[in-house]
Amino acid sequence: MISTEAAGGDVQEASDAPRIPSSALNRTILVVIIGTVMSVLDMTIVNIAMRRLSEAFGAPLETIQWTATAYTLALAAVIPTTAWVMARIGAKRAYLTALILFTLGSLLAACAWDAPSLIAFRVVQGLGGGLLVPVGMGMAMAAADRERFGRTMALLGLPILVGPVAGPVLGGWLLDAASWQWIFLVNLPVGAVALALAAKLLRPDAPRGTVPAPQLDVPGLLMLSPGLALLLYGLARGGERGDFSTPGALLPALAGATLVAGFLRRALTTRHPLLDLRLLNDRTFAFGIGTLALFTCGYFGSMLLGPVYWQQARGWSATSTGLLGVPVGLAVGTTMQIAARRVDKVSPRRLIRAGIAVGALGMALTGLLVGVENVPAWQVVCATVVMGVGSGMVLLPTTTTASRDLPKDRMPAASTAVNINSQVCASVGTALISVVLGSAGADPSGFRTAYLVAAGLLALALVPAMRLPGRRD
């Protein structure tokens, strides 16, 4: 009998739950992968279309960038409700609702007539996208037993391999061969297929009325969702301007942080919190979240540096810049597939520590190389590939290790916590690196400083990673 021990010494029995057949698990994974691929491709495609959208609507680039910001804010607002929505209407219904919202938002965005309408329709997309990934992950995590958890998480990581590689290429081709509308219309056939498969293949939800409806923590929702949105908005504005002291950045960030702090206090005292922070009583989950927080901050925070470096400091075209990102995307995705499967068989602590060390080394090498005038491009790309290999050894394996031994009924809450952690820490990292780059200057020495700061954040993830399990029971 397999058991796991939390910090308080409580023993959870893991073998009491019935084993879900492999066929049902595989169907769930297939549906989730298709939906996640659509979401990841959309984000990568829209990111490279900003300048074209600015020209199409005759709007400043600063205004068009709100198409990305509004999407992110919608994600932040809806992700905290994931666990409640799944419990209230069922996982399958929640996933179908997310697919409908995302696909409808894509259609509306393609029909936008000006920048404000496009931004509004991106909010609709974001509401669907904010449910799509955590609901899908929660379903798959609940369906997989401990022995199949690493394989399941590895398969769920396939969109991370496809998106960064195919997104820029597909987006560039659609913009050149067709029109900007097609960067959204391309989601419609994928969304239709995902809806049909989800309706047919996912396990039916329990009939309504057979399970007591959970209470919605309305005060918690009114604190956490606006709090996250305001915090991310303030961080984004501060990062864009390189200054967090301006009222437009400082006031929203402080208001958001205050609301989030109020939510944390409430979540620890109320009987039915919106987000179950008691998950952190599990030592493995707590240290896994800590590892992911620091690593995500440095890894995703550094993502803005490559495009700016190649286009601004080196004068390369957007197409060439996109192609230079393909090797690191392949490195991350391929390594992630191998590592997420291996974490079922080897010491998670050793694997993840090694990945952090390799990732920090690759990031530091990238920083040292970009600080050299006219360094050969292949050397910089090789350094980023090393960083990508390390990242692939950390991201999904840490999520797998943190969540694998939790009871099945807590998987939706765990998925919600992981996704909130990723959104917030990625935004914090992006804002921090933006400020560092703005202060140091967008020249070789400035990029070197920014990359080295990101490498330091990755290295700090070693501290909580040291407390992860050293072996499988």
Side-chain angles (χ1 to χ4, degrees):
M1 183 173 293
I2 301 171
S3 65
T4 61
E5 187 172 356
D10 297 332
V11 176
Q12 303 283 355
E13 299 298 336
S15 61
D16 294 339
R19 179 183 174 93
I20 294 176
S22 295
S23 58
L25 174 60
N26 291 337
R27 290 195 297 268
T28 301
I29 292 172
L30 173 64
V31 171
V32 173
I33 286 175
I34 294 174
T36 307
V37 164
M38 179 174 64
S39 175
V40 173
L41 279 177
D42 179 81
M43 285 189 289
T44 55
I45 290 174
V46 172
N47 285 341
I48 70 166
M50 293 296 177
R51 194 167 299 278
R52 183 67 63 86
L53 292 171
S54 176
E55 296 170 356
F57 291 116
L61 190 58
E62 292 77 12
T63 300
I64 293 299
Q65 286 174 339
W66 270 96
T67 59
T69 304
Y71 184 89
T72 301
L73 296 182
L75 287 181
V78 76
I79 285 175
T81 69
T82 300
W84 177 83
V85 170
M86 292 177 71
R88 182 68 178 82
I89 67 174
K92 180 175 181 176
R93 297 187 191 99
Y95 196 73
L96 290 171
T97 301
L99 286 172
I100 291 170
L101 279 173
F102 190 89
T103 307
L104 175 62
S106 300
L107 176 60
L108 292 173
C111 298
W113 55 89
D114 57 15
S117 64
L118 177 62
I119 292 169
F121 296 146
R122 284 284 285 169
V123 170
V124 178
Q125 260 193 309
L127 294 175
L131 289 174
L132 197 62
V133 175
V135 170
M137 181 183 292
M139 288 191 303
M141 289 165 65
D145 52 46
R146 193 182 186 196
E147 285 69 28
R148 297 179 290 180
F149 208 90
R151 169 185 171 272
T152 298
M153 297 302 291
L155 291 172
L156 293 182
L158 284 173
I160 302 175
L161 170 60
V162 174
V165 176
V169 177
L170 177 61
W173 178 76
L174 288 171
L175 289 170
D176 292 338
S179 64
W180 67 266
Q181 286 89 347
W182 280 97
I183 66 174
F184 300 110
L185 292 175
V186 71
N187 292 329
L188 301 188
V190 182
V193 170
L195 274 168
L197 290 177
K200 182 178 179 61
L201 299 182
L202 291 181
R203 299 173 69 199
D205 292 319
R208 297 191 183 190
T210 59
V211 179
Q215 297 180 12
L216 176 62
D217 179 18
V218 176
L221 178 63
L222 293 178
M223 285 188 283
L224 184 57
S225 290
L228 287 175
L230 286 169
L231 179 61
L232 296 185
Y233 173 78
L235 292 172
R237 291 298 296 271
E240 290 170 3
R241 301 183 179 186
D243 184 3
F244 288 99
S245 63
T246 60
L250 181 61
L251 294 180
L254 287 177
T258 301
L259 287 171
V260 171
F263 167 80
L264 294 177
R265 180 177 180 180
R266 175 178 174 79
L268 293 172
T269 57
T270 188
R271 289 187 60 189
H272 302 286
L274 182 68
L275 183 62
D276 187 7
L277 296 183
R278 289 181 288 265
L279 285 168
L280 297 177
N281 289 333
D282 184 285
R283 291 171 58 88
T284 300
F285 188 78
F287 287 118
I289 284 288
T291 302
L292 286 171
L294 290 166
F295 198 89
T296 298
C297 190
Y299 175 67
F300 287 102
S302 72
M303 292 295 97
L304 66 94
L305 296 175
V308 178
Y309 169 73
W310 290 114
Q311 293 182 66
Q312 185 169 322
R314 298 294 294 267
W316 288 46
S317 68
T319 301
S320 299
T321 299
L323 291 173
L324 288 172
V326 171
V328 67
L330 290 172
V332 173
T334 303
T335 308
M336 191 178 293
Q337 290 299 303
I338 298 171
R341 287 175 167 84
R342 291 293 299 165
V343 79
D344 281 339
K345 302 177 177 64
V346 302
S347 163
R349 183 193 303 160
R350 291 182 181 177
L351 175 66
I352 294 167
R353 280 189 314 180
I356 293 171
V358 172
L361 173 63
M363 191 77 77
L365 286 174
T366 304
L368 295 175
L369 288 169
V370 299
V372 178
E373 292 282 354
N374 298 319
V375 62
W378 67 267
Q379 294 184 12
V380 179
V381 171
C382 286
T384 61
V385 167
V386 173
M387 180 269 294
V389 169
S391 301
M393 295 169 66
V394 174
L395 295 173
L396 272 185
T398 305
T399 302
T400 301
T401 301
S403 307
R404 176 169 47 203
D405 293 332
L406 294 173
K408 294 296 184 183
D409 60 355
R410 305 185 83 179
M411 287 301 183
S415 175
T416 302
V418 168
N419 279 274
I420 289 176
N421 182 65
S422 298
Q423 285 292 326
V424 172
C425 292
S427 297
V428 170
T430 300
L432 174 62
I433 298 301
S434 296
V435 171
V436 171
L437 183 62
S439 302
D443 54 27
S445 63
F447 284 105
R448 177 179 57 200
T449 301
Y451 271 113
L452 291 178
V453 168
L457 290 170
L458 299 191
L460 283 174
L462 282 169
V463 177
M466 295 290 293
R467 306 300 297 274
L468 292 173
R471 62 182 178 84
R472 291 194 71 229
D473 294 333

